[in-house]
Amino acid sequence: MDLSKLYKKLPSKIQESDELLILLMKISKTIRKTNSKSTPNYALNSMFKHNNVKITGSLRHIQQMYLELLRFIDNICGKYDLDYCLIYGTLIGAMRHEGFIPWDDDCDILMMRKDYEKLIEVLPQELKKNEFLKENCALTKLINKEENYFKDMNSIYNKKLGHDDYFNQPHLGKSIFLQIGWLKPMVKLDIFPYDYVKENKIDYYNKSYSAYKFSFRSSLFEKNNFKFNEEFNRIFSKMGLTLNKTDYIGEGIDASEIDDFGWFPTEYIFHLKTIQFENYEFKCPNKPDKLLKLWYGDDYMDILKYYNAWLSRI
């Protein structure tokens, strides 16, 4: 089945519908199950890469809301001379589609600890300068299971708006890293802290990172007397993390709750470059190809590589 030829014959209105996108992905999933020669499905790759597939409807509106948050953070970082870069699926989208992965509903950036802490300091005052942003945006960085670091700001996890549960599982998906988002609908941009790792601690970081991250997050949501800064500083020191630049960078223990992306050479990130994303220029890692291959494998540019988790929800 040549999906790309079939796609070209469809009216433009149908070509641009997100319903068609979902249908084609389901077809592709069936093909992969029944025909090993279709893995990866090069017809689907070709359709996305060469036929300019666009998403419309509610998903596209959500992506545009993410884009506004990303532009806002980019402006603030420029104002205060802070470094950040696109990562994870957002970086894949920039590399492969020059924008969002067509079915993606997420947006992620990386910041080193010093700049991350400075952004936490300045973001509330910048939001408060604009009455619309102050009323409609939220900042969250949980320091225990119920307490937001930002005392006088809207929280993303707003019980009155139904944001408290995540797939009916309290605390799953709740953020201990920095998030900025719109309150309604809840659209939140994730800002992940990364740290420099001392060279003589690389092996220890490699062996202990997952355990420390799990322990830190579990304690935060389960212990009533949890002291965020005290526990973080203890682990930070024990793992050999530092604010000073070294030859290695590792994911912070207060970063993603799902994946363990580990460490990599500092040269993969710095010096930062720029990349086109949705007709804007944003900062990206110095060696994005090496970083994405490390995280997702050599075939990260294949369309099917990054939507298996998404497919399970449709």
Side-chain angles (χ1 to χ4, degrees), residues 232-255:
F232 175 83
N233 289 335
R234 182 186 72 81
I235 296 175
F236 190 87
S237 175
K238 189 169 184 177
M239 291 187 67
L241 305 178
T242 176
L243 298 177
N244 300 318
K245 188 173 182 179
T246 69
D247 290 336
Y248 303 96
I249 289 174
E251 185 184 31
I253 61 163
D254 49 344

Side-chain angles (χ1 to χ4, degrees), residues 1 9 11-12 33 65 75 80 97 110 122 137 164 171 177 194 210 233 236 276:
M1 179 184 296
K9 294 179 180 180
S12 59
K33 285 182 177 179
M65 294 178 76
N75 287 333
Y80 290 94
H97 307 279
L110 173 157
V122 303
C137 275
D164 188 47
H171 311 314
F177 50 82
Y194 272 63
S210 295
N233 289 335
F236 190 87
Q276 184 168 329

Side-chain angles (χ1 to χ4, degrees), residues 157-171:
Y157 304 103
N158 188 315
K159 294 181 181 180
K160 292 181 180 179
L161 295 177
H163 298 175
D164 188 47
D165 285 2
Y166 188 85
F167 298 131
N168 297 317
Q169 299 183 58
H171 311 314

Side-chain angles (χ1 to χ4, degrees), residues 65-86 90 107-111 115 119 122-123 126-127 133 178 180 189-191 272-284:
M65 294 178 76
Y66 274 115
L67 182 60
E68 290 306 309
L69 290 174
L70 183 57
R71 292 180 62 200
F72 177 72
I73 293 297
D74 177 68
N75 287 333
I76 299 301
C77 287
K79 178 177 179 179
Y80 290 94
D81 194 26
L82 306 178
D83 282 333
Y84 76 91
C85 64
L86 306 183
T90 310
C107 196
D108 304 312
I109 67 175
L110 173 157
M111 296 186 76
D115 288 345
L119 184 65
V122 303
L123 261 181
E126 292 295 332
L127 286 174
L133 294 178
L178 176 62
I180 179 172
L189 184 152
D190 296 333
I191 304 173
L272 295 175
K273 298 178 179 178
T274 59
I275 195 168
Q276 184 168 329
F277 186 88
E278 299 291 339
N279 297 317
Y280 294 95
E281 293 286 328
F282 295 102
K283 292 183 180 181
C284 78

